[in-house]
């Protein structure tokens, strides 16, 4: 069982930046797609970004494209999400997840999840 752990969340002012990291431990399956999702109180979980094992396929939600950048370092078993130009609408719990089914953009395609990290953007 691969354990995922997010880090890097916190409180920032509008226009600021945060860099989230998702570290995986206990890796037994090397080929996978990693994704980031977020969920605000009272709302459904929302796709943010995904990246294939090789990094050759990347997908962003329209709401974050141009502001967020997803990347990975397989040697460190870590996936990153650089978030720039943050606004209060980005406030949510951010989750990283993995899938072996492709570069999906729906939560139902992902079977392995971290516990999440809180991102709060003040105005």
């Amino acid at each position: 069982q691969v354990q995922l752990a997010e880090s890097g969340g916190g409180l920032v002012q509008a226009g600021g930046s945060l860099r989230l990291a998702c570290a995986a431990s206990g890796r037994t399956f090397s080929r996978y797609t990693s994704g980031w999702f977020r969920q605000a109180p009272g709302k459904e979980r929302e796709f943010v970004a995904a990246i294939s094992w090789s990094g050759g396929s990347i997908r962003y939600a329209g709401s974050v494209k141009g502001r967020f950048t997803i990347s990975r370092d397989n040697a460190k078993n870590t996936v990153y999400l650089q978030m720039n130009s943050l606004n209060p609408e980005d406030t949510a719990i951010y989750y990283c997840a993995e899938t072996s089914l492709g570069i999906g953009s729906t939560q139902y395609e992902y079977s392995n999840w971290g516990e999440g990290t809180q991102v709060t953007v003040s105005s």
Side-chain angles (χ1 to χ4, degrees), residues 110-121:
Y110 292 78
S111 59
N112 193 21
W113 295 81
E115 294 183 352
T117 185
Q118 178 70 235
V119 172
T120 303
V121 184

Side-chain angles (χ1 to χ4, degrees), residues 9-13 18 86-88 90-92 94 118-122:
L11 174 65
V12 298
Q13 294 181 336
L18 284 174
L86 288 164
N87 58 64
D90 296 315
T91 296
Y94 283 71
Q118 178 70 235
V119 172
T120 303
V121 184
S122 65

Side-chain angles (χ1 to χ4, degrees), residues 5 11 14-16 22 24 26 39 42-44 55 60-61 65 70 76 79 82 89 105-106 108 113 118-119:
L11 174 65
C22 175
Q39 187 167 22
K43 296 184 178 181
E44 295 185 353
Y60 294 100
K65 191 173 184 178
I70 188 171
K76 297 181 178 180
V79 179
Q82 178 67 46
E89 288 68 43
S105 61
T106 68
Y108 311 106
W113 295 81
Q118 178 70 235
V119 172

